[in-house]
């Protein structure tokens, strides 16, 4: 029993070492150049030994992707939990701000999950849940607004929800009964716009366009909050979409 526990602990530690080295290679070489042999060389291991932990480059890549999504999601969720439950707009803002801060602090990991696809790699189903964590955090804020009567799902009823995958709104906690609702579609728009803002900033697309990036981002988040129907806080200037 003790020997088995020791082996499990050693395996877990070595697995983490392999992932840590792979993450450094990700930063220096890029995802498409990730190599199990190169990781093994840095660790002073035979490549055959590393293959016992990760049978393929794709499995190692998947671990890096899931770790990145989970780290980002955990930061966003922790920031949101720190805000009073009734302050919906501040909760929404905290998720967005934490997402941007994580991306700026971890640019290579952000690029892995939101940058160019890795040639020849197809993400497995195990990445779906971790990838949804930020979107689900935003959706929970809006769902709480609907439950409390603060957010009106019948407002701006363009019927855009019909464009979404069937069952998507319910799966993220927005069981909207209004047949012509656009609320779930607006939440998806806010989520995708959030990552668009961050990607443009991180990948240099706003260079020579935006001087004060933090203020620009903060203003955009306020507009997104207004778009999804969150009430304006007292004493704060109103933002319109």
């Amino acid at each position: 029993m003790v020997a088995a526990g020791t082996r499990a602990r050693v395996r877990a530690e070595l697995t983490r070492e392999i992932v840590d080295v792979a993450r450094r290679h990700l930063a220096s070489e890029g995802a498409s150049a990730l190599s199990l042999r190169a990781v093994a060389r840095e660790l002073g291991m035979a490549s055959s030994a590393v293959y016992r932990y990760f049978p393929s480059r794709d499995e190692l890549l998947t671990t890096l992707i899931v770790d990145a999504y989970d780290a980002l999601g955990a930061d966003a969720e922790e920031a949101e939990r720190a805000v009073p439950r009734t302050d919906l707009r501040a909760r929404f803002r905290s998720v967005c701000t934490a997402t941007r801060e994580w991306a700026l602090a971890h640019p290579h990991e952000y690029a892995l999950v939101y940058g160019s696809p890795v040639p020849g790699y197809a993400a497995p189903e195990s990445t779906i849940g971790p990838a949804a964590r930020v979107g689900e955090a935003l959706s929970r804020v809006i769902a709480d607004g609907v439950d409390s009567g603060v957010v009106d799902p019948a407002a701006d009823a363009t019927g855009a929800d019909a464009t979404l995958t069937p069952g998507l709104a319910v799966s993220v906690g927005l069981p909207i009964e209004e047949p012509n609702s656009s609320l779930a579609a607006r939440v998806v728009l806010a989520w995708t716009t959030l990552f668009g803002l961050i990607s443009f900033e991180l990948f240099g697309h706003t260079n020579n366009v935006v001087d004060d990036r933090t203020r620009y981002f903060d203003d955009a988040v306020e507009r997104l909050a207004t778009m999804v129907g969150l009430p304006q806080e007292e004493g704060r200037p109103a933002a319109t979409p």
Side-chain angles (χ1 to χ4, degrees), residues 73-117:
D75 273 17
E77 291 162 359
E78 181 179 1
E80 188 271 332
R81 283 194 299 267
V83 179
R85 299 297 83 193
T86 56
D87 196 343
L88 299 175
R89 200 172 185 108
R91 287 169 59 191
F92 181 93
R93 185 187 309 121
S94 70
V95 172
C96 296
T97 301
T99 300
R100 175 177 180 258
E101 289 176 350
W102 186 91
L104 294 177
H106 305 86
H108 302 293
E109 291 167 76
Y110 181 89
L112 173 65
V113 293
Y114 290 108
S116 300

Side-chain angles (χ1 to χ4, degrees), residues 111-130:
L112 173 65
V113 293
Y114 290 108
S116 300
V118 179
Y121 174 79
E125 190 172 342
S126 61
T127 62
I128 295 175

Side-chain angles (χ1 to χ4, degrees), residues 130 154 162 195 232:
F195 284 104
Q232 185 63 45

Side-chain angles (χ1 to χ4, degrees), residues 11 24-25 33 43 51 55 64 67 69 72 74 79 85 105 108 119 124-126 132 135 137 140 157 187 229 240:
R11 182 177 181 83
R24 291 199 297 271
H25 283 218
L43 287 168
Y51 279 103
L64 291 170
D67 281 357
Y69 278 135
L72 169 56
R85 299 297 83 193
H108 302 293
E125 190 172 342
S126 61
R140 282 193 295 271
V187 173
T240 55

